[in-house]
Amino acid sequence: ASVFQTPSAVQKIKELLKDKPEHVGVKVGVRTRGCNGLSYTLEYTKSKGDSDEEVVQDGVRVFIEKKAQLTLLGTEMDYVEDKLSSEFVFNNPNIKGTCGCGESFNI
């Protein structure tokens, strides 16, 4: 699979989808943005797109947009909470560089 989720990410996605019965999972993609080229997108989805890759882990469905599949190959999706923030974090082994603020990356 191109993306695998940590138990923390699986649990958080389950919590988020619990109140959204019309959504079947979340969709992960990349967009051109920021000072270094690409940034991740994460959104609820009601269906699997024709060219999406579907990754099912512990009952959680994550769909990877076609144009993001190679970029995200081998990426770990985690959910991290600390005193100041809580967020999904992508640990991507393909990244060659990131911007100083962490908003974008390049491959």
Side-chain angles (χ1 to χ4, degrees):
S2 59
V3 173
F4 59 97
Q5 299 107 62
T6 64
S8 177
V10 168
Q11 186 58 41
K12 187 60 180 180
I13 293 170
K14 282 182 180 178
E15 286 175 25
L16 292 171
L17 290 173
K18 187 173 56 178
D19 300 330
K20 298 182 173 20
E22 70 278 12
H23 293 92
V24 297
V26 294
K27 185 175 289 197
V28 178
V30 293
R31 297 283 181 269
T32 303
R33 189 178 126 192
C35 49
N36 221 346
L38 299 170
S39 65
Y40 300 105
T41 63
L42 186 62
E43 59 194 20
Y44 298 109
T45 187
K46 294 181 179 179
S47 63
K48 178 185 184 292
D50 291 339
S51 56
D52 291 347
E53 176 187 352
E54 181 175 359
V55 178
V56 180
Q57 189 174 324
D58 297 327
V60 169
R61 296 170 75 188
V62 174
F63 303 95
I64 314 301
E65 291 180 349
K66 181 174 178 61
K67 73 178 195 175
Q69 289 169 8
L70 287 175
T71 304
L72 294 173
L73 195 62
T75 296
E76 175 192 71
M77 180 179 173
D78 194 8
Y79 183 75
V80 179
E81 291 184 65
D82 62 29
K83 290 179 181 178
L84 299 176
S85 67
S86 57
E87 62 186 340
F88 284 99
V89 175
F90 295 88
N91 299 309
N92 188 333
N94 306 303
I95 290 178
K96 301 283 186 262
T98 60
C99 65
C101 63
E103 279 289 314
S104 62
F105 63 93
N106 64 52
I107 300 289

